Amino acid sequence: MLFSHIFKVEIKRHFMVFAILTILSGIFSLHFLINNHQQLAFSYLLINMVIGILIPIYIFMDFYNEFFIGKMTLNHMLPLKTSSLFFIKSIVFLIGIMVVWGATLIEIFLNPQGLYLTRIVQSTSPSEGILYLFCSKFFGMLSGLSLMGFAISLAKWVSKKVATGHLLIAFIFIAVIGFQFALIIKGSWHWSIGTSSLESFKQYANMLTISTFSNRPTFPDIKETIHWDSVVMNVIVTVISGSFAALLFNSKRYEIYGK
């Protein structure tokens, strides 16, 4: 009962933000789909980039206020482990992220010049392309949430000084995401961050979206741009950072009421 109650409370707290972002993303996707003007392409990509930046910032600030600053003191007085609270909040945020992203699928799947009709359906394995499209996004966002929890919990556990905690959080983000980023772009001719392309599938270093390109004019089959190793990498980060975050959240530093 307590789990479901907290889940409903978190849904109500964040519903409006994700609903607004979903509606905006859906409106612009439909507008670009109906008009389909090339001059709108940059604006459409720019809007999606801004939304893609706002969501991680919003989530991080909520985690930061909850678990680093401790503004929601009532939550920490409930007979609920801090790791369980983090898990519930992460589920809510993951649902919100995927719903907002779902609005962009309007353009991907329905646009005659979109990724699906121009590249995926023409590939040797459309089903694998669709599976990769969803899995790469899902596990990229999941690893990002886990890393946020680990970075914040470790910073809180190591030092009571705010400045030191901030430096540690920044270091963890840069180190982990930087390592993943380096592996993803290794061997590519050039790359771009936060953009989409009909040449290849996007990859994810946590919540950082990356498009890589070869030195060929175009890939004859978009299936060749599928890199499951980047998905596996995000799964590994999720398991490791999530496990450490759970241990730290359940330590005496957080469980001050002996939950």
Side-chain angles (χ1 to χ4, degrees), residues 187-190 199-200 212-220 224-225:
S188 62
W189 184 50
H190 68 94
E199 293 184 35
S200 63
T212 59
F213 308 94
S214 73
N215 56 359
R216 289 180 290 176
T218 183
F219 288 96
E224 297 180 17
T225 71

Side-chain angles (χ1 to χ4, degrees), residues 95-159:
I95 292 173
I97 291 170
M98 297 307 290
V99 169
V100 175
W101 177 69
T104 66
L105 298 181
I106 295 173
E107 195 277 329
I108 290 176
F109 284 99
L110 299 182
N111 188 351
Q113 282 74 48
L115 183 65
Y116 177 73
L117 292 176
T118 60
R119 300 305 306 276
I120 296 178
V121 76
Q122 305 296 331
S123 69
T124 55
S125 182
S127 58
E128 184 180 0
I130 295 174
L131 180 64
Y132 180 79
L133 187 70
F134 282 89
C135 286
S136 59
K137 180 70 175 184
F138 180 84
F139 288 107
M141 300 304 102
L142 189 60
S143 66
L145 294 171
S146 300
L147 186 62
M148 286 184 193
F150 171 62
I152 292 172
S153 60
L154 182 61
K156 181 74 172 182
W157 188 81
V158 168
S159 176

Side-chain angles (χ1 to χ4, degrees), residues 7-56:
F7 180 77
K8 291 177 182 178
V9 169
E10 290 297 319
I11 287 286
K12 290 179 180 179
R13 283 187 60 212
H14 306 293
F15 175 80
M16 190 59 66
V17 172
F18 284 102
I20 290 173
L21 293 178
T22 301
I23 292 171
L24 287 176
S25 182
I27 289 174
F28 287 113
S29 293
L30 284 172
H31 182 66
F32 181 65
L33 173 64
I34 294 171
N35 291 278
N36 199 25
H37 294 312
Q38 283 300 113
Q39 56 265 36
L40 294 175
F42 177 76
S43 298
Y44 174 70
L45 290 174
L46 182 62
I47 291 166
N48 283 332
M49 284 177 63
V50 171
I51 292 175
I53 293 171
L54 288 177
I55 290 177

Side-chain angles (χ1 to χ4, degrees), residues 60-72:
F60 175 79
M61 291 308 301
D62 184 84
F63 280 156
Y64 178 82
N65 289 327
E66 179 79 63
F67 301 110
F68 192 86
I69 302 298
K71 286 186 176 180
M72 300 291 289

